[in-house]
Amino acid sequence: MSDITGTARWSGPSADIAGKGNVWLACLIALVSFLVFANLANDAAQDLRYGWDVRVNCAAVDARVDGLDPYYVKNLKGTKFSYTYLPVTLDAFRPLCAGSFLVGHYRGVFLVIAALSGLMLPGIGRTRSLRDVALRGLYVLGGFVGFEWVLASGNFAILGGGLTAAALALLLRPAKSDDRHDVLRIAGAALLGLVMSFKLVFCPVLAALYLLPLSRRRKLVLMTVAGLGFVLPILVSVVFYPSLFSSWLLAITGGIPGQRSVQIEEANPSLLLLAQTIVDRVGFADSKPLVFALYALAATAFVLAPLGWSLQRAIRNNEGSLPARLDRWLIDHPRAAMRIMVLAMYGLYLCSPRLKEYAFFELAVYGAVLIVDLPAAALAAVLTIGVAVPTLVSITGITVEGGFVQVAVALMCFWILLLDFRAEPKRLEQKGACP
């Protein structure tokens, strides 16, 4: 049996030690919570005109209504930024932008959506508790200061985070012995695929669905459904918005002169831009192959190889081929399997070549699922590194734009989560026990 902090409860003298552990962890959580809300309050008090992305998005919707091409910045009123979403989203976002309500009140709306995201996030094999819900909500709001960037910019990544939380709630359900219970999980896979279509570079996250504790056939069905969910908005855009789709391609590839586009040189805290920075400093600024080779090496060394090695280590005692061993282990260890699946989603998202500051909000959504299962020391480390440190950086007025603070703290949290999985995978399978 364990208490609400995840520290094992024992009888005898060690009970005092556990009690003391509860106190310091509770104090740390209270301090981190204060920092997060103080930071948000500090931002709200600034006399600055935030919300540039929500104005761009709604200006694009208005341009579409007026019969103008929204992918040309000259047709967007009051902004110099370009619209980068698929053409089908122009009609999908129209109800959100109607009456200028969202532009004028996006801060309150976004805060509500973020709070709902934390509430929707599921546990893994645990009954819901107030402590877990509060921790998830804290991490969603404060993790890597991603939500702060969403709120400041008014970015529609808030929709991606909310839909991701809903998809995870549908996907991380106890496995059943027959396919009739997969309807909700199929809906979750389709929803996750739809989320990935908002920003195409994040589509590798869908591969993590293979790590669900289901039969191979059922997993492949879910991956197919997720792929269809990803492709459908693209196909609809091609078929029903052909001219706008051509403009969208020009806009994101830099084919429209005099406006911003998605380029490798664009500042963002990703491993790709870290590789670009290193290559620039050693004097090979024009060597794109070297940049991508270094990026692939960093993604493999920091994320993919440790993740793969941890899985290989977990299944090493099973017999048969590698796929068969993996499938058997996943089904035999459902809680650990769902945990490693979300961790794989986290890692694949973190490896994205275009990881903007606001995208760390969605990354925090994945992390929030995992932190509640951590032991006290690991939980304290994740809250300190992933929430307190970047929040303090923000409060002190040091800009993180164009730097690598966010990706650094996200990587450290990934390693803590992965090391905990490797150290105690059996702990995750103890029914009714809180890690």
Side-chain angles (χ1 to χ4, degrees), residues 110-380:
F110 281 22
L111 185 59
V112 169
I113 294 175
L116 289 175
S117 298
L119 289 172
M120 282 190 292
L121 285 173
I124 298 178
R126 294 166 62 114
T127 57
R128 290 176 67 85
S129 69
L130 181 60
R131 174 259 193 188
D132 289 358
V133 172
L135 276 177
R136 292 189 195 106
L138 176 63
Y139 207 76
V140 166
L141 291 174
F144 324 123
V145 297
F147 177 66
E148 183 186 15
W149 272 97
V150 168
L151 202 59
S153 63
N155 197 276
F156 277 16
I158 190 71
L159 301 179
L163 293 175
T164 296
L168 291 174
L170 293 169
L171 287 167
L172 298 177
R173 302 172 60 81
K176 302 295 182 180
S177 59
D178 58 72
D179 290 340
R180 290 178 299 173
H181 298 279
D182 266 2
V183 175
L184 294 178
R185 196 174 284 111
I186 286 172
L191 186 57
L192 187 65
L194 179 66
V195 173
M196 295 302 113
S197 72
F198 286 178
K199 300 289 185 181
L200 305 183
V201 292
F202 296 120
C203 66
V205 169
L206 299 178
L209 291 176
Y210 190 83
L211 299 178
L212 280 168
L214 302 170
S215 67
R216 188 179 303 177
R217 183 182 69 83
R218 292 168 70 181
K219 290 187 294 188
L220 292 178
V221 167
L222 290 177
M223 293 176 71
T224 301
V225 169
L228 291 173
F230 173 76
V231 171
L232 183 60
I234 301 174
L235 293 178
V236 171
S237 296
V238 171
V239 174
F240 295 100
Y241 307 83
S243 61
L244 287 178
F245 186 77
S246 299
S247 296
W248 174 75
L249 288 175
L250 288 174
I252 66 171
T253 57
I256 302 177
Q259 66 183 57
R260 296 181 64 179
S261 61
V262 180
Q263 299 288 340
I264 186 175
E265 290 83 7
E266 186 179 11
N268 66 78
S270 69
L271 292 176
L272 177 60
L273 264 293
L274 177 61
Q276 175 72 71
T277 301
I278 294 172
V279 169
D280 288 348
R281 290 186 177 180
V282 297
F284 295 96
D286 296 328
S287 179
K288 292 289 173 48
L290 181 58
V291 170
F292 281 99
L294 189 59
Y295 160 59
L297 178 63
T300 301
F302 293 149
V303 179
L304 302 179
L307 184 66
W309 177 252
S310 297
L311 262 177
Q312 174 64 33
R313 185 173 179 268
I315 67 174
R316 66 183 185 277
N317 294 327
N318 288 18
E319 296 180 355
S321 64
L322 180 60
R325 282 187 288 149
L326 177 59
D327 291 340
R328 185 74 265 157
W329 183 87
L330 293 171
I331 292 174
D332 290 343
H333 305 82
R335 290 184 64 191
M338 287 188 282
R339 185 171 179 81
I340 199 67
M341 184 201 77
V342 179
L343 192 55
M345 289 179 168
Y346 181 118
L348 291 168
Y349 193 100
L350 184 56
C351 290
S352 170
R354 191 171 182 268
L355 194 64
K356 300 292 287 184
E357 288 84 0
Y358 52 76
F360 282 85
F361 167 67
E362 293 184 71
L363 188 66
V365 169
Y366 292 114
V369 176
L370 302 170
I371 63 167
V372 296
D373 288 320
L374 292 174
L379 175 59

Side-chain angles (χ1 to χ4, degrees), residues 91-120:
D91 289 324
F93 292 161
R94 187 179 296 185
L96 297 175
C97 296
S100 299
F101 176 82
L102 187 61
V103 174
H105 302 87
Y106 79 94
R107 281 181 169 275
V109 174
F110 281 22
L111 185 59
V112 169
I113 294 175
L116 289 175
S117 298
L119 289 172
M120 282 190 292

Side-chain angles (χ1 to χ4, degrees), residues 16-164:
D16 293 335
I17 298 175
K20 292 178 182 178
N22 296 344
V23 172
W24 71 259
L25 184 57
C27 289
L28 175 63
I29 293 172
L31 175 60
V32 172
S33 301
F34 171 78
L35 290 174
V36 168
F37 290 105
N39 191 36
L40 293 175
N42 180 60
D43 290 340
Q46 298 294 322
D47 187 21
L48 296 172
R49 192 176 184 227
Y50 290 124
W52 54 89
D53 276 325
V54 72
R55 290 196 296 274
V56 169
N57 295 339
C58 288
V61 170
D62 292 340
R64 163 70 174 165
V65 171
D66 294 338
L68 302 174
D69 191 327
Y71 293 105
Y72 286 80
V73 172
K74 64 182 181 180
N75 293 329
L76 305 183
K77 298 177 183 178
T79 181
K80 296 181 180 179
F81 297 102
S82 57
Y83 185 74
T84 58
Y85 293 104
L86 285 165
V88 67
T89 59
L90 291 163
D91 289 324
F93 292 161
R94 187 179 296 185
L96 297 175
C97 296
S100 299
F101 176 82
L102 187 61
V103 174
H105 302 87
Y106 79 94
R107 281 181 169 275
V109 174
F110 281 22
L111 185 59
V112 169
I113 294 175
L116 289 175
S117 298
L119 289 172
M120 282 190 292
L121 285 173
I124 298 178
R126 294 166 62 114
T127 57
R128 290 176 67 85
S129 69
L130 181 60
R131 174 259 193 188
D132 289 358
V133 172
L135 276 177
R136 292 189 195 106
L138 176 63
Y139 207 76
V140 166
L141 291 174
F144 324 123
V145 297
F147 177 66
E148 183 186 15
W149 272 97
V150 168
L151 202 59
S153 63
N155 197 276
F156 277 16
I158 190 71
L159 301 179
L163 293 175
T164 296

